[in-house]
Amino acid sequence: MFVSAAPVEIAFDTEEERIVRVGTTVRRPMTAASPSVHALLAHLEAVGFDGAPRALGIDGQDREILTFVDGETATRPLPVWAVSDETLAGLARLLRRFHDAAESFVPPPDAVWEQGSQADESPELVGHCDVTPENVVFRPGPSGRPVPYALIDFDLARPTTRLFDVVTTLRHWAPIADPIDRDPRQRGLDVGPRLRLFCDAYGLAVRDRLRLVDTARTRLGRSYVATRTRALTLGGDWARRWAEGAGERIRRAGAWLDAHEDELRRHLVEGA
């Protein structure tokens, strides 16, 4: 997706959500969590983090106004560059920069975050919690190949831990999934070394690497409950995902994780 100078509305998401681009901005319906997300984005701007959109206010149709981040997203089926080691390491560094910037954010006293997920114990920061290929903007790097530049779509942001946000990201990018449910170019990937590569590039502490597999298991369980809850209460795109087998895919990912636990742990901690 690339920015257009024409000040016209162009829909580029589901009809239910009605996300549109207007010139160099994105307009989307306000939610209960939008003011809290705007406060987070304002903080990121204030501390100099350039890897996120800016919140510009609310328009006359009660839609939030965000800057459109120029670049390309890794739409499915994933391109070759999206599954490279270079991309995975760059994503880890981007997530680390975001976490370091978000760590000093103090949410408003009346902050409201996304609904449908269990709260994390002892949250460390407000995480993105939805770093999927569709929510990372790439720009050409020094070599000319696309590299991760920014995170977009902070709708699911909420107080969490660094490790939980790392695990959520690895769920999509390592990926932690049954091969049958992976993107075609991800099916032949060796996940253990990719977990290690990401953790090394992020600088994840050994104590967190030791907890990564168990945290992934917890995350999958919560994801199942949250997706089912949103499907039942929100309908729309969430209901469509559930009907198309989202729950079964999460269950298969959990079974795959159980079957490969020892191998994954070995890659994570040996020599760390």
Side-chain angles (χ1 to χ4, degrees):
M1 298 184 291
F2 292 91
V3 69
S4 168
V8 296
E9 293 198 3
I10 305 173
F12 56 86
D13 208 330
T14 64
E15 184 176 352
E16 290 86 356
E17 294 176 295
R18 291 302 303 162
I19 302 173
V20 298
R21 190 176 79 232
V22 182
T24 59
T25 68
V26 172
R27 313 293 175 96
R28 56 193 305 161
M30 291 283 289
T31 70
S34 294
S36 302
V37 172
H38 293 179
L40 171 63
L41 295 177
H43 170 82
L44 296 176
E45 180 178 11
V47 298
F49 178 72
D50 60 358
R54 306 305 187 205
L56 303 178
I58 305 171
D59 69 10
Q61 299 181 46
D62 197 32
R63 301 178 300 185
E64 63 178 359
I65 308 173
L66 305 170
T67 57
F68 181 83
V69 182
D70 187 16
E72 182 178 3
T73 57
T75 54
R76 302 173 193 271
L78 296 176
V80 173
W81 51 262
V83 301
S84 70
D85 287 353
E86 179 183 16
T87 289
L88 189 66
L91 180 62
R93 291 189 289 268
L94 174 61
L95 188 67
R96 177 60 186 262
R97 289 200 300 115
F98 162 64
H99 285 169
D100 289 349
E103 192 171 38
S104 57
F105 172 60
V106 179
D110 58 349
V112 174
W113 302 103
E114 61 92 12
Q115 302 298 307
S117 291
Q118 295 173 253
D120 293 333
E121 296 180 3
S122 303
E124 302 166 342
L125 44 73
V126 173
H128 184 284
C129 300
D130 195 28
V131 185
T132 65
E134 296 81 3
N135 290 339
V136 180
V137 174
F138 291 78
R139 289 184 179 179
S143 67
R145 292 188 293 272
V147 297
Y149 171 76
L151 305 175
I152 58 174
D153 196 350
F154 282 73
D155 283 11
L156 300 186
R158 62 179 177 82
T160 186
T161 64
R162 288 176 179 259
L163 179 58
F164 209 86
D165 216 13
V166 163
V167 164
T168 297
T169 303
L170 288 169
R171 165 81 171 96
H172 303 284
W173 290 89
I176 299 174
D178 188 295
I180 196 173
D181 296 316
R182 300 177 192 172
D183 186 88
R185 286 201 169 94
Q186 292 179 321
R187 287 173 188 159
L189 297 177
D190 193 349
V191 174
R194 285 174 65 82
L195 295 182
R196 177 60 180 266
L197 174 65
F198 188 98
C199 292
D200 286 349
Y202 180 95
L204 195 69
V206 173
R207 66 178 181 276
D208 287 329
R209 299 181 193 218
L210 291 169
R211 297 189 296 124
L212 192 147
V213 172
D214 289 336
T215 301
R217 187 174 289 109
T218 298
R219 189 267 179 195
L220 289 169
R222 291 183 180 181
S223 180
Y224 183 90
V225 173
T227 304
R228 181 182 60 191
T229 299
R230 293 185 184 112
L232 292 173
T233 60
L234 301 178
D237 199 42
W238 288 106
R240 178 186 61 79
R241 293 179 194 176
W242 188 260
E244 292 175 351
E248 288 85 351
R249 289 191 293 274
I250 295 169
R251 292 300 195 202
R252 285 193 292 268
W256 179 89
L257 184 67
D258 290 343
H260 294 83
E261 178 174 357
D262 291 343
E263 172 194 351
L264 299 179
R265 287 186 186 277
R266 184 171 65 254
H267 281 289
L268 283 165
V269 300
E270 280 187 356

